[in-house]
Amino acid sequence: MKRVVRQVSRSGYQKLAKPLLFRQHPDKAHEGMIKAARALHRVRGENILRVWNYRNSRLEQEILGLKFKNPLGMSAGLDKNFDLPPIAKRIGLGFEIGGSTTAQVCAGNPRPWFRRLPSEKSIVVNVGLANNGVARNIQRIKRYPRRLWRDFPLSVSVAKTNNPENVSDSEAIADYCQSLRQLEAAGCAPLYEINISCPNTYGGEPFTTPARLDKLLTAVDDLRLTRPIFVKMPTDKKWPEFMKLLAVIDRHEIAGLTIGNLVKDRSALRNSKLLDNEIRGNLSGQPARELTTGLIFKTYAKYRDRFVIIGVGGVFTAEDAYEKICAGASLVAMVTALMFEGPQVVGEINEGLVKLLDRDGFQNITEAIGSAHRG
Ligand SMILES: Cc1cc2nc3c(=O)[nH]c(=O)nc-3n(C[C@H](O)[C@H](O)[C@H](O)COP(=O)(O)O)c2cc1C
């Protein structure tokens, strides 16, 4: 029955909702989606979205002491101010990475923030970390009932405030630490993600060089946080540079890696002439798929289960998610597919994952993690 609902929803989304949504500028469409989500939550209407939910015990895992009902989550950036957790859970996602949030309120870059590239299954993103600031976001998270987080872990992505005053290393590190300290004091999230790889901000990505990353993570170690920490990795580093960052991270109290962020290199587009040089922003979706899967594969080959890996980049189908899991990711997250395919895609991917487990003779999703390395 739910499968039929998902099929009807898919064609409804593709034939009705998407053409209407895509007629709007993506900045407006995103704002509209957030407003609709808040309105639905105010009237407790999100339960209706359960029709898309797909549950199967073979997808359940316990990771870092937390229960995940399936491996598919929302990656950072779609829900910067934590408006979507009730909806994300009801449509069947297994977890959410909210934010990125910053110590100060942050207006972000001048608009436009988004540009769709449907032929490339990609979005050009130039938001520059707009968000309400960590203090307000903590209040919002705390307003949700505790039962929301049962089987639905929340990770809070923390970045440095994007403003011209915050570009020196010491100020930037203080900014990250201020957010993490506040989150820890509030005790409102079981996981943290440190976003070191947001392109298009003042000062660029200072902590994607080994020495400076070491400084940042030393300061984070000193906070003695009680929750597992992930680092959101850049995707544009060549393997030798990426490996140097991993070697630094390995020396610190970091439990996991999210691989990875937006793609800067526009040659990843099939048609690289699609974007004028003066259009600012970086690429999500399909151009990130192979790149991130390759980095996950190499990272897992070197570090096995030293790090829990969240695989992110161009996941649109069960096959895309499975490819990252077999390469070594324990969890997978997405943004662009939710915008391009509609909310029923979550159930479709989870159902497809179970079929892929059957095909390969795995009892559960944990058995599939890293299986590409076994033969
Ligand atoms: C609209 C949008 C906003 C994003 N904002 C953030 C952000 O604030 N922090 C972050 O770590 N990543 C951000 N990202 C990157 C995503 O989390 C993800 O790494 C990237 O889009 C690749 O995944 P996808 O192909 O499923 O979209 C953003 C992506 C999109 C599309």
Side-chain angles (χ1 to χ4, degrees):
M1 176 63 186
K2 281 194 173 180
R3 188 178 301 163
V4 177
V5 172
R6 277 198 297 277
Q7 277 161 0
V8 173
S9 306
R10 167 163 281 274
S11 57
Y13 186 79
Q14 294 298 330
K15 293 198 178 110
L16 294 171
K18 190 171 165 183
L20 282 176
L21 267 177
F22 275 36
R23 212 177 285 164
Q24 289 183 343
H25 190 279
D27 290 35
K28 278 260 164 302
H30 182 247
E31 261 170 39
M33 187 265 292
I34 297 286
K35 277 190 192 144
R38 296 189 69 158
L40 197 64
H41 179 60
R42 269 198 299 277
V43 298
R44 302 287 181 268
E46 57 264 3
N47 277 338
I48 196 169
L49 306 176
R50 284 206 173 121
V51 290
W52 288 315
N53 198 323
Y54 173 83
R55 245 195 128 141
N56 189 311
S57 60
R58 292 167 70 192
L59 297 178
E60 290 171 9
Q61 299 183 85
E62 190 165 324
I63 297 172
L64 299 167
L66 299 166
K67 287 200 171 123
F68 293 80
K69 63 180 186 290
N70 66 64
L72 188 62
M74 182 195 291
S75 189
L78 190 62
D79 189 17
K80 290 172 181 302
N81 294 312
F82 301 85
D83 295 302
L84 300 180
I87 284 182
K89 183 175 185 180
R90 295 308 186 283
I91 64 175
L93 285 164
F95 66 104
E96 171 174 330
I97 307 169
S100 299
T101 190
T102 55
Q104 312 299 326
V105 180
C106 187
N109 291 333
R111 301 263 185 175
W113 287 347
F114 308 121
R115 181 181 297 261
R116 295 186 198 98
L117 302 177
S119 60
E120 302 277 350
K121 294 174 89 175
S122 177
I123 300 170
V124 188
V125 182
N126 184 33
V127 182
L129 297 171
N131 78 102
N132 290 342
V134 73
R136 237 176 105 186
N137 279 331
I138 286 171
Q139 291 316 313
R140 182 158 293 165
I141 296 167
K142 285 175 92 168
R143 278 209 294 270
Y144 293 119
R146 273 179 176 277
R147 64 176 181 280
L148 174 63
W149 310 117
R150 209 178 299 139
D151 290 357
F152 185 73
L154 176 72
S155 178
V156 176
S157 166
V158 170
K160 78 178 165 74
T161 308
N162 179 22
N163 62 26
E165 295 82 53
N166 230 338
V167 291
S168 82
D169 281 5
S170 56
E171 284 154 346
I173 289 172
D175 198 86
Y176 277 109
C177 289
Q178 191 184 329
S179 295
L180 290 166
R181 233 182 264 117
Q182 279 179 257
L183 283 163
E184 184 76 358
C188 60
L191 295 168
Y192 309 134
E193 183 170 283
I194 300 179
N195 179 7
I196 58 164
S197 49
C198 182
N200 274 349
T201 53
Y202 287 104
E205 302 164 53
F207 299 107
T208 57
T209 60
R212 292 161 99 183
L213 180 60
D214 192 47
K215 253 165 86 181
L216 170 65
L217 296 185
T218 302
V220 173
D221 284 347
D222 289 345
L223 297 175
R224 308 217 174 287
L225 301 171
T226 57
R227 310 291 158 100
I229 308 163
F230 283 71
V231 174
K232 177 84 174 263
M233 300 298 287
T235 48
D236 286 290
K237 298 276 171 203
K238 293 272 171 281
W239 178 241
E241 272 105 31
F242 195 89
M243 223 169 26
K244 284 183 194 153
L245 297 180
L246 294 179
V248 169
I249 296 170
D250 184 35
R251 294 200 295 271
H252 293 275
E253 296 293 318
I254 299 296
L257 305 166
T258 304
I259 303 175
N261 217 319
L262 299 163
V263 174
K264 288 192 276 189
D265 179 3
R266 292 180 178 188
S267 67
L269 292 171
R270 275 172 282 197
N271 175 6
S272 53
K273 294 202 189 89
L274 210 58
L275 282 179
D276 287 340
N277 281 343
E278 66 265 24
I279 295 172
R280 304 186 65 169
N282 300 284
L283 305 169
S284 76
Q286 186 65 28
R289 187 176 69 81
E290 264 185 48
L291 248 164
T292 49
T293 304
L295 290 171
I296 292 164
F297 187 90
K298 288 178 178 165
T299 302
Y300 187 85
K302 192 161 170 57
Y303 285 96
R304 296 287 155 167
D305 43 16
R306 157 67 182 88
F307 297 114
V308 174
I309 297 175
I310 305 179
V312 182
V315 172
F316 290 88
T317 64
E319 286 74 16
D320 298 336
Y322 194 63
E323 173 186 82
K324 284 183 162 50
I325 290 166
C326 296
S330 300
L331 300 164
V332 167
M334 58 188 182
V335 174
T336 307
L338 289 165
M339 294 166 118
F340 276 33
E341 306 294 320
Q344 83 293 333
V345 75
V346 178
E348 289 171 354
I349 293 178
N350 278 323
E351 189 174 13
L353 281 174
V354 173
K355 288 194 186 128
L356 291 165
L357 294 180
D358 282 340
R359 184 195 71 188
D360 293 347
F362 295 127
Q363 289 303 308
N364 54 51
I365 199 75
T366 310
E367 287 181 10
I369 296 168
S371 58
H373 299 261
R374 295 197 287 269

